[in-house]
Amino acid sequence: YRKNALALALGDGRSFSLGLAWNRFSSPDPVIEPFASWDLGVTARPSRHLSIGAAMLGRGARLGGLRLPLRYDLGLATRFAGDTFTLSADLLADDRARDDFHATHLAFGAGAELRAGLALSLQVTVPLHGEPGLSRDPAAVVALAWNGPHVGLSGGTTVLPGHTGGLGGVRLSRERYRAPGGGHEVPTL
């Protein structure tokens, strides 16, 4: 299958942002072909070096007429050393398709961004429970990105036991990346 997302984020430019995404899947499998959902996220930055986020993922998702679990991601991240390094931690949960909150995984991330706009990141996810249906093995995402002033490109791979996958992304922004007061300036290439 292939997942496509159309997303929009709005914010005050400094300490708050709200994002909304519509997801559509395509597949030769007639059960997956009509699959669609939407996501909602909010981020607050109470200080320059701290970011707090919450996301609701997969709202309205139905597969074969059955409601799929709504997923949640609650996270904290910090940037330091002139915004060169990032550390993050997330609590991942779902509602088990019955409107509750059930924590399933913890995720830990680290990243480094060079002055030329190249960034390398790693996130490792570990399960909290040995429940049926949940992977009992850790999983990882490794990504490489280039961040220019108004455009960014990213790509990476997911590493799961017995599975691998790829990811890619494009960022377009009206505001120059690394806005004034946001750390060092990234040179235009």
Side-chain angles (χ1 to χ4, degrees):
Y1 70 89
R2 175 172 289 150
K3 177 183 176 184
N4 296 299
L6 178 61
L8 175 67
L10 301 170
D12 67 0
R14 291 279 174 230
S15 61
F16 178 79
S17 63
L18 177 70
L20 180 67
W22 179 72
N23 306 296
R24 179 83 166 96
F25 290 74
S26 60
S27 169
D29 184 335
V31 175
I32 296 175
E33 182 61 30
F35 185 65
S37 67
W38 61 275
D39 306 334
L40 179 67
V42 63
T43 302
R45 293 191 64 153
S47 75
R48 176 174 141 75
H49 300 289
L50 177 65
S51 182
I52 303 167
M56 175 181 60
L57 308 165
R59 187 78 183 170
R62 293 190 161 297
L63 191 58
L66 298 174
R67 179 179 174 264
L68 295 179
L70 181 61
R71 293 171 294 126
Y72 302 99
D73 185 339
L74 307 172
L76 292 170
T78 185
R79 296 186 97 176
F80 55 95
D83 290 344
T84 299
F85 300 104
T86 302
L87 293 176
S88 65
D90 292 72
L91 173 65
L92 307 176
D94 68 40
D95 75 348
R96 297 187 274 193
R98 56 183 189 210
D99 296 324
D100 67 359
F101 186 89
H102 178 70
T104 61
H105 293 81
L106 290 175
F108 303 97
E113 184 170 351
L114 305 174
R115 288 192 178 257
L118 290 176
L120 179 65
S121 63
L122 169 70
Q123 184 180 50
V124 176
T125 304
V126 293
L128 293 175
H129 314 283
E131 296 179 21
L134 289 178
S135 171
R136 292 180 178 93
D137 298 315
V141 176
V142 179
L144 180 66
W146 172 76
N147 291 303
H150 300 283
V151 66
L153 303 171
S154 61
T157 186
T158 58
V159 182
L160 301 162
H163 298 82
T164 57
L167 60 99
V170 176
R171 174 190 52 82
L172 300 172
S173 59
R174 181 179 57 92
E175 185 176 318
R176 182 177 173 81
Y177 183 73
R178 299 286 190 182
H184 61 272
E185 286 293 316
V186 175
T188 302
L189 300 177

